[in-house]
Amino acid sequence: MDQAYAQEFRRQGHMFVDFMAEYYKNIDKYPVRSQVEPGYLKKRLPESAPYSPESVETILQDVQEHIVPGITHWQSPNYFAYFPATSSVAGIVGEMLSSGFNVVGLDWISSPAAVELENIVMDWLGQMLDLPKSFLFSGNGGGVIQGTTCEALLCTLTAARDRVLKKIGRENISKLVVYSSDQTHCAFQKAAQIVGIDRKNIRAIKTTKSSSYGLSAESVLSQINLDVEAELIPLFLCATVGTTAITAVDPLKPLCDVAKQFGIWVHVDAAYAGSACICPEFRHFIDGVECVDSFSFNPHKWLFTTLDCCCLWVKDPSCLLSTLSTNPQYLKNEATDQEPKEQEVGYKDWQITLCRRFRSLKLWVVIRNFGVANLRNFIRSHVGMAKLFERLVTSDKRFEVAFPRNFSLVCFRVTPSAVMDKLRTKYKNGTYDQYRQFSEEERTNEFNRELLESINVSGKVFMTHAIVGGIYVLRFAAGNSMTMESHVRAAWTVVQEHLEAF
Amino acid sequence: MDQAYAQEFRRQGHMFVDFMAEYYKNIDKYPVRSQVEPGYLKKRLPESAPYSPESVETILQDVQEHIVPGITHWQSPNYFAYFPATSSVAGIVGEMLSSGFNVVGLDWISSPAAVELENIVMDWLGQMLDLPKSFLFSGNGGGVIQGTTCEALLCTLTAARDRVLKKIGRENISKLVVYSSDQTHCAFQKAAQIVGIDRKNIRAIKTTKSSSYGLSAESVLSQINLDVEAELIPLFLCATVGTTAITAVDPLKPLCDVAKQFGIWVHVDAAYAGSACICPEFRHFIDGVECVDSFSFNPHKWLFTTLDCCCLWVKDPSCLLSTLSTNPQYLKNEATDQEPKEQEVGYKDWQITLCRRFRSLKLWVVIRNFGVANLRNFIRSHVGMAKLFERLVTSDKRFEVAFPRNFSLVCFRVTPSAVMDKLRTKYKNGTYDQYRQFSEEERTNEFNRELLESINVSGKVFMTHAIVGGIYVLRFAAGNSMTMESHVRAAWTVVQEHLEAF
C-alpha cells in the first residue's frame, strides 16, 4: 500500500506540475481580471457531488475549462492590482513540502521540527529586518507565523485587553478605546470588534495631506486626552507602515512617545511594506520599532511566499501566553511537563487556533533559495519598475502622480484639466450632460473611475483604485515575480490608449 | 521571463514530487514519533539567513537530513495518535493547485471561481451529510471553509454575542454565559475568552459514565436555571459529536430543546466525527442538527483533505455578516455595489480574516477523485480497522476496552488485576515500592502511562492517551490513508510485546 500510494503520488504529482507549468507558460494570454458573469460556475458544475470516482485527468481538464476562466490571475506579469501576492517557485515548492508531510503542529512533540524551524526562521527574518534583539527568541522576545494580519491583531489585542482588564476589572471592558488612522486597514476595526471593543470606542483618526496621510502624534494625543477626560481607558494603537490605499507611513517614534505616557500597547502593521525593510535603504521607515510592543508583516504579500503567511513578533510573549494558553490533558506529555524551554514554544498558545500546518517550511525554502542578497535585489527591481512607471506618468502632461511614492506603488490619475479637455473634445458643443451635475473634483474622479474600468475590462492589465483626501486614483502596484520592465511599459501604453479612446 | 519561470517551476516541481514520493515509499522505516531532543535543530542550522542563494537540491538534502528526523510522521501507516490528519494524493494535488494559482480571495471580483466553487462545494458537502436545506445556499443558509474549529467558534460566538448585546446593551457583556461539557475541546474556552466572555462565565458541565460522557440536557438546564437566577444571560451552547478524548456524543435534540427555551445559540462541533456522518449508518449521531444554529466539522481530520480545512454552515448568514462585515473603499467595485447575490458571497465577511487562499479547490478535487462511494468505503474501512483492534484487545484478558467505541477510535488499557499480576511478578517479595504509595486506580493509571511511553519510545507505532472519569486510557485512532489491516495487527503485537517486556 505504501508503494501504491507513493506511486500514485508520483504519477499525479508530475501530472500536476506539468499542468501548472503550462499555466505559467500561458498566463499572459488570459485576461488578467476574470471576465465571467456572477453565477457562471453554477451553470457549469453538477448540483451534487459525484457518487463514483473521477480521474485526475478529468478534474484537471475541468480546472482548465471551468476554473481558470473564473480566476483573476494574481500571478500574471500584467497584474498590478491591490498589492501583489508575490509568489515564487521556491514558495510553492515549500508549500508542497508542508502539505506533503501534513504534520499538525499542536505542540513540540507533535512535530519538533515544525516548532524549532519556526523559532529559527523567525529569528533569521527578525535579523534581516534589523529588529531589536528584544523581539527575537535570542533576546527573550519571539516570533510566530500567523495566517494574516487580522489574526495577528486579534492575538495582540486580546493580550493587551486582558493585561489591562486584569488590573481594572472585566466589567470595564466597555471603557476600552483603541486608536488607528482613517487609513488603517479595516482588519483592525474587525479585530477590535471581535475582542469586544465597543464600536463607538474604535477611533479612526483623520489624516491629512500635510502629514502625507500618516497618523500625526498630535492628533492622537488630542483624542486620547478627550477620551481620558471622558473616563475612558486608552488600550491599543495600531500604526501602519505602508497603508493599503497609498502606502502612507505612520511615524513610529512620535506615536510611541505619546502612547507610552498612557501605557498603550503599540502594534505596527507593515503587512506590505515590511518586506522592503530588509533593504538598508528602506529600513528607516520602521525606525522607532524598538519602542513598540509588537510588529507584523506579510511575506505572502511581497516576500515571494505563497498565501498565507503573516509574521508577528512580540517583545513579551508571556502576554500572549497568559491569555491564549490552553493545556488540555490530551496534549500532556513528558515535554510539556517540564519547564518550557526556548525550543519548546507551544505555538498553539501564540495564536488563535490550536492546530496548524508546518508554516515555517516555505519561508525557510524561500529565504535560502533566494538568499538575502537576491531577496533585496528583487525588492529593488520592483521598486525600480514603480519608478519607471512613475517617470512614464510624469512625462505625460495629461497625467499626474497624486501621492508621493514610497515603495512599489504608484498612485496616479488624469489631471482635472486634461479631463476637461477630453470632455470638451468628446462632447462638442458642451453636451456632456452626465458630467455637468458634478463639481470639477467629482468630474475628475468619475472620469478616472471610468477610465480604470475600461482598462480592466480590456483584460490586458488589472489595476485597482483608492480614494484619499477626496481624490480618486488609479493604483499601479509592481511586484509580481514574472513582471519585467517590458510589462510595465506595455501597461503604460494600455493606460494611454484607453485615455485616447475615451 | 514567463518561459523561464515556467521552466524553473517544472524543474523544481518534478524534483519535489520525486522527493516526496520517496518519502512516502520509506515512511514506515522512520520512527513514528520523532526521537530528537529539544533544541536539536538549532545545533544543526546557521544562526542567520544565508546571504547568497542556495540550490533547491541542497535544501531538499537538508530537509532529508535535518527536518525529516524532527518530524512526527502523521502520514505513517503506523500512526494512531490524537486523531489522524487523513491526507490523500488528491488532497495534496488540490492544495498544489491552490498555491500554484495563489489567488487572494478578498471578494468575488478578486477571483470569482474561488467564491463560487466554495458555494458549490459547501452545498455538495452539506447534501452528503444530509444537512437540512436551511443550512445550504440553495435554502438561504450557507457554508464557509475556515481554517480550524477555533475560528468557526470565534465567528459564531461573535455573531451570537452581538445579536444579544444589540438587544440588551454592550455594557452587559460581562453577564453573558456560555455552555459546554468538561469533554469539549479547549478551543471553545479559548474562543469564548477571545470574544470577551468572562472566564468565570464559561461553564464546562460535568459529564458522567451514566451518559457515556455525553452532555446531559438535564445538567445543562440546571446550570442555566442557576445562571438565570443569578441574573446572568445564557448565550451559547457548544455541543460535540465525537469528543477529542473518547469520541463521546452530546445528544443534539434534547440539548436544543433546552437551549431554545432561553434563546441560546447552539453550535455543533463535529470536527472529527462529522466525516463519518456521510455514511448513512453513522448519520444518526447528528440527528437533531435541524434544530441547531451552526454546525462545523474538519475534512482535514478524516476526509482526506490536507490541513487546514474546517467547514462551517450557518442557518442565518446575516448574523455573521452583521458582525464581521467590512466594506473598505479599496474593495469597492461594480460587483460589490450591486445587491449581493448568492454567487457573490463575500467570504471575507464570513470569517475572521479578509484575505484567504482558494480554499475549496482541494476539497473539490478530493470529493471528485474519491466520489461519495469511495469516501464512504474508506471511512468504513477505518472503522473496520478500529473494530479489528477492538476484537484483538478484548481477546486478551489482560486488556479491556475502557469506553464504548463509536467511530474509529479504541480507548483501551491494561486491567487493574493484570497490572497487579505484572507488578507482583516483576517485583518479587513485594518490593514494588514506587507503586505502593498509589491506590489501585492510580497504580493502574501509572502503569498504563509507562506502558504507552515505552511503546512510543520504540518508534514502531505512536498512540496518545486520555484521562476520563479518572481512568487513563491508551487511544488507538485508525484512519491514515496508508494504514492496512496488517499495520493494525502489527500495532497490537507491539502493545502486547511491550506489556510482556515490562
Side-chain angles (χ1 to χ4, degrees):
Chain A
M1 176 67 174
D2 310 359
Q3 304 306 316
Y5 192 89
Q7 235 166 29
E8 191 55 21
F9 176 80
R10 202 185 290 267
R11 189 182 77 84
Q12 295 193 19
H14 287 309
M15 205 186 306
F16 153 79
V17 170
D18 288 334
F19 176 89
M20 198 46 73
E22 280 301 299
Y23 170 74
Y24 290 133
K25 206 171 116 187
N26 297 309
I27 196 166
D28 58 358
K29 297 185 182 68
Y30 301 117
V32 187
R33 191 179 80 176
S34 172
Q35 303 196 328
V36 298
E37 290 292 316
Y40 88 102
L41 196 55
K42 205 175 175 180
K43 295 176 193 145
R44 301 182 184 203
L45 297 188
E47 276 185 24
S48 54
Y51 185 74
S52 301
E54 299 181 273
S55 72
V56 172
E57 287 85 344
T58 310
I59 299 169
L60 283 180
Q61 201 177 321
D62 283 354
V63 171
Q64 185 62 45
E65 275 177 37
H66 303 308
I67 302 298
V68 169
I71 283 181
T72 291
H73 301 279
W74 285 67
Q75 302 312 311
S76 164
N78 302 311
Y79 178 99
F80 305 103
Y82 309 106
F83 287 128
T86 311
S87 180
S88 65
V89 174
I92 300 170
V93 169
E95 185 76 66
M96 285 177 182
L97 282 170
S98 168
S99 56
F101 291 134
N102 204 42
V103 301
V104 184
L106 293 164
D107 56 3
W108 185 82
I109 198 68
S110 71
S111 258
V115 174
E116 297 196 16
L117 188 64
E118 192 158 329
N119 289 181
I120 291 167
V121 169
M122 288 302 289
D123 267 14
W124 280 14
L125 201 49
Q127 290 164 17
M128 286 161 64
L129 287 165
D130 196 17
L131 290 186
K133 203 165 161 81
S134 52
F135 279 111
L136 309 185
F137 285 106
S138 54
N140 293 320
V144 55
I145 304 179
Q146 310 256 346
T148 72
T149 307
C150 198
E151 289 166 61
L153 287 167
L154 203 43
C155 293
T156 49
L157 273 162
T158 306
R161 180 198 69 186
D162 288 352
R163 188 175 68 173
V164 168
L165 290 184
K166 209 170 164 183
K167 286 185 208 149
I168 63 169
R170 294 203 67 84
E171 66 280 9
N172 291 305
I173 185 169
S174 307
K175 293 188 189 161
L176 300 177
V177 189
V178 299
Y179 303 86
S180 69
S181 90
D182 58 0
Q183 300 298 312
T184 303
H185 193 280
C186 59
F188 180 62
Q189 188 191 336
K190 187 165 180 173
Q193 284 171 207
I194 292 173
V195 305
I197 305 298
D198 198 332
R199 279 186 198 214
K200 66 178 194 300
N201 292 345
I202 300 174
R203 309 267 173 263
I205 295 168
K206 197 169 155 47
T207 56
T208 59
K209 197 175 175 183
S210 66
S211 63
S212 304
Y213 298 95
L215 181 56
S216 104
E218 294 73 30
S219 324
V220 174
L221 182 57
S222 312
Q223 182 60 55
I224 293 176
N225 282 331
L226 287 174
D227 291 331
V228 171
E229 269 170 47
E231 299 196 341
L232 297 173
I233 300 155
L235 176 70
F236 195 99
L237 168 68
C238 177
T240 307
V241 173
T243 59
T244 308
I246 61 164
T247 69
V249 175
D250 296 340
L252 304 188
K253 189 73 177 61
L255 288 171
C256 286
D257 288 344
V258 169
K260 292 298 147 183
Q261 299 169 37
F262 300 88
I264 293 174
W265 181 302
V266 181
H267 177 83
V268 177
D269 166 16
Y272 151 76
S275 296
C277 300
I278 65 165
C279 302
E281 69 271 32
F282 294 111
R283 173 58 175 76
H284 68 91
F285 284 110
I286 57 168
D287 279 358
V289 69
E290 62 281 2
C291 310
V292 311
D293 298 277
S294 49
F295 175 88
S296 65
F297 89 105
N298 298 356
H300 72 223
K301 279 208 160 67
W302 197 13
L303 210 65
F304 308 91
T305 308
T306 53
L307 253 74
D308 39 14
C309 184
C310 168
C311 292
L312 166 70
W313 287 266
V314 289
K315 267 187 191 160
D316 179 8
S318 72
C319 272
L320 290 182
L321 302 190
S322 69
T323 194
L324 299 175
S325 285
T326 47
N327 200 10
Q329 178 58 236
Y330 75 95
L331 288 181
K332 289 196 174 157
N333 56 57
E334 308 239 313
T336 61
D337 288 347
Q338 290 157 16
E339 276 296 290
K341 295 186 203 119
E342 177 194 319
Q343 297 83 358
E344 291 165 18
V345 173
Y347 274 122
K348 70 177 173 54
D349 301 332
W350 289 59
Q351 59 174 20
I352 296 162
T353 65
L354 285 111
C355 77
R356 62 209 308 269
R357 287 173 293 142
F358 193 157
R359 288 186 175 162
S360 56
L361 209 40
K362 60 184 171 186
L363 199 48
W364 183 61
V365 175
V366 165
I367 294 174
R368 293 188 62 185
N369 190 228
F370 281 82
V372 175
N374 271 336
L375 287 172
R376 288 180 182 161
N377 288 343
F378 275 101
I379 296 272
R380 285 166 182 152
S381 84
H382 296 153
V383 175
M385 289 184 210
K387 283 184 180 167
L388 166 61
F389 193 85
E390 195 178 28
R391 281 198 301 278
L392 294 168
V393 171
T394 48
S395 67
D396 185 331
K397 291 297 164 223
R398 298 169 300 175
F399 291 88
E400 67 182 2
V401 172
F403 299 106
R405 183 199 51 72
N406 286 323
F407 305 99
S408 66
L409 174 76
V410 182
C411 296
F412 69 104
R413 65 168 184 169
V414 181
T415 63
S417 65
V419 167
M420 271 314 292
D421 287 350
K422 196 76 199 171
L423 292 176
R424 277 197 203 99
T425 318
K426 183 160 179 177
Y427 305 98
K428 286 191 188 94
N429 313 318
T431 60
Y432 45 104
D433 289 350
Q434 63 187 110
Y435 293 96
R436 275 196 188 280
Q437 52 181 313
F438 296 128
S439 69
E440 185 191 54
E441 198 57 53
E442 285 168 343
R443 195 184 302 132
T444 309
N445 286 354
E446 177 59 18
F447 184 93
N448 277 285
R449 198 192 65 73
E450 287 177 27
L451 175 66
L452 176 60
E453 186 56 20
S454 78
I455 290 169
N456 287 338
V457 163
S458 79
K460 290 181 186 165
V461 298
F462 181 27
M463 301 180 194
T464 48
H465 77 283
I467 302 179
V468 171
I471 297 177
Y472 182 104
V473 293
L474 289 74
R475 295 168 74 264
F476 172 90
N480 260 313
S481 287
M482 284 187 243
T483 304
M484 293 184 297
E485 276 199 17
S486 58
H487 297 105
V488 177
R489 291 182 191 279
W492 175 242
T493 306
V494 170
V495 172
Q496 285 181 312
E497 283 171 0
H498 276 84
L499 176 58
E500 274 141 35
F502 198 90
Chain B
M1 178 65 177
D2 310 358
Q3 304 307 316
Y5 192 88
Q7 235 167 29
E8 190 56 21
F9 176 80
R10 202 185 290 268
R11 190 181 77 84
Q12 295 194 19
H14 287 308
M15 205 186 304
F16 154 79
V17 169
D18 288 334
F19 175 89
M20 197 45 73
E22 279 301 300
Y23 170 75
Y24 290 134
K25 206 171 116 187
N26 296 310
I27 195 167
D28 60 357
K29 298 188 181 65
Y30 301 117
V32 187
R33 192 179 79 176
S34 172
Q35 303 195 330
V36 298
E37 291 292 315
Y40 88 101
L41 196 55
K42 204 175 175 179
K43 294 176 192 144
R44 301 184 184 201
L45 297 187
E47 277 185 22
S48 54
Y51 185 74
S52 303
E54 297 182 275
S55 72
V56 172
E57 288 85 343
T58 311
I59 297 169
L60 282 179
Q61 201 176 321
D62 282 354
V63 171
Q64 185 62 45
E65 274 177 38
H66 304 308
I67 302 298
V68 169
I71 283 180
T72 291
H73 301 279
W74 285 67
Q75 301 313 310
S76 164
N78 301 310
Y79 178 99
F80 306 102
Y82 310 105
F83 287 127
T86 311
S87 182
S88 65
V89 174
I92 300 169
V93 169
E95 185 76 67
M96 285 176 181
L97 282 170
S98 168
S99 56
F101 292 133
N102 204 43
V103 301
V104 184
L106 293 164
D107 57 2
W108 185 83
I109 199 68
S110 71
S111 256
V115 173
E116 297 197 16
L117 189 64
E118 192 159 328
N119 290 181
I120 292 167
V121 169
M122 288 304 287
D123 267 15
W124 282 13
L125 201 49
Q127 291 164 16
M128 286 162 65
L129 288 164
D130 196 18
L131 290 186
K133 203 167 162 79
S134 51
F135 279 111
L136 308 185
F137 285 105
S138 53
N140 294 319
V144 55
I145 304 179
Q146 310 255 346
T148 73
T149 307
C150 198
E151 290 166 60
L153 287 167
L154 203 43
C155 292
T156 48
L157 273 163
T158 306
R161 181 198 68 187
D162 288 351
R163 188 175 67 173
V164 168
L165 291 185
K166 209 170 163 183
K167 286 184 208 151
I168 63 169
R170 293 204 67 85
E171 65 282 7
N172 290 305
I173 185 169
S174 307
K175 292 187 189 164
L176 301 176
V177 188
V178 300
Y179 303 86
S180 69
S181 91
D182 58 0
Q183 300 298 311
T184 302
H185 194 281
C186 59
F188 180 62
Q189 190 191 336
K190 187 166 180 172
Q193 285 171 208
I194 292 173
V195 304
I197 305 298
D198 198 332
R199 279 187 199 215
K200 67 176 195 298
N201 291 346
I202 301 174
R203 309 267 173 264
I205 295 168
K206 196 169 157 47
T207 57
T208 60
K209 197 175 174 183
S210 66
S211 62
S212 303
Y213 298 95
L215 181 56
S216 103
E218 294 73 30
S219 324
V220 173
L221 182 58
S222 313
Q223 182 61 56
I224 292 176
N225 282 330
L226 286 175
D227 291 331
V228 171
E229 269 171 47
E231 300 195 340
L232 297 173
I233 299 155
L235 177 70
F236 194 100
L237 168 69
C238 178
T240 308
V241 173
T243 60
T244 309
I246 61 164
T247 68
V249 174
D250 296 341
L252 304 188
K253 189 70 177 62
L255 289 171
C256 285
D257 287 344
V258 169
K260 293 299 147 181
Q261 299 169 38
F262 300 89
I264 292 173
W265 182 301
V266 181
H267 178 82
V268 177
D269 167 16
Y272 152 76
S275 297
C277 300
I278 65 164
C279 302
E281 68 270 32
F282 294 111
R283 173 58 175 74
H284 68 91
F285 284 110
I286 57 167
D287 279 357
V289 68
E290 61 281 3
C291 311
V292 311
D293 298 277
S294 50
F295 175 88
S296 66
F297 89 105
N298 299 356
H300 73 222
K301 280 209 159 65
W302 196 13
L303 209 66
F304 308 92
T305 308
T306 53
L307 252 74
D308 40 13
C309 185
C310 168
C311 292
L312 166 70
W313 288 267
V314 289
K315 268 188 193 159
D316 180 8
S318 72
C319 272
L320 290 181
L321 302 190
S322 69
T323 194
L324 299 175
S325 284
T326 46
N327 199 10
Q329 178 59 234
Y330 74 96
L331 289 182
K332 289 195 175 160
N333 55 58
E334 308 239 314
T336 61
D337 287 346
Q338 291 157 16
E339 276 296 291
K341 294 184 202 120
E342 177 193 319
Q343 297 83 357
E344 290 164 17
V345 172
Y347 274 122
K348 69 177 174 51
D349 301 332
W350 289 58
Q351 58 173 22
I352 297 162
T353 63
L354 285 110
C355 77
R356 62 209 306 269
R357 288 174 292 145
F358 194 158
R359 287 185 175 163
S360 56
L361 209 40
K362 61 184 170 186
L363 199 48
W364 183 61
V365 175
V366 165
I367 293 174
R368 293 188 63 187
N369 191 227
F370 281 81
V372 174
N374 271 337
L375 287 171
R376 287 180 182 162
N377 287 344
F378 274 102
I379 295 273
R380 284 166 182 152
S381 84
H382 296 153
V383 175
M385 289 184 210
K387 282 184 180 169
L388 166 61
F389 193 85
E390 195 177 28
R391 281 198 301 277
L392 294 167
V393 170
T394 48
S395 68
D396 185 330
K397 291 297 166 223
R398 297 169 300 175
F399 291 88
E400 64 183 4
V401 172
F403 300 106
R405 183 198 51 72
N406 285 324
F407 305 99
S408 66
L409 174 75
V410 181
C411 297
F412 69 104
R413 65 168 184 170
V414 181
T415 65
S417 66
V419 167
M420 272 314 292
D421 286 351
K422 197 77 200 173
L423 292 176
R424 279 200 200 96
T425 317
K426 182 160 181 177
Y427 304 100
K428 285 193 187 91
N429 312 319
T431 59
Y432 45 103
D433 289 351
Q434 62 188 111
Y435 293 97
R436 275 196 186 278
Q437 51 179 318
F438 296 128
S439 70
E440 185 191 53
E441 200 57 54
E442 286 168 342
R443 195 184 300 132
T444 308
N445 285 354
E446 177 58 19
F447 184 93
N448 277 287
R449 199 192 64 74
E450 287 177 25
L451 176 66
L452 176 60
E453 185 55 22
S454 78
I455 290 169
N456 286 339
V457 163
S458 78
K460 290 179 187 166
V461 298
F462 181 28
M463 299 179 196
T464 49
H465 78 284
I467 301 178
V468 171
I471 297 177
Y472 182 105
V473 292
L474 289 75
R475 295 169 75 265
F476 171 91
N480 260 313
S481 288
M482 284 187 243
T483 304
M484 292 185 296
E485 275 200 17
S486 57
H487 297 104
V488 177
R489 290 182 191 279
W492 175 243
T493 306
V494 171
V495 173
Q496 285 182 312
E497 282 172 1
H498 277 84
L499 176 59
E500 273 141 37
F502 199 89

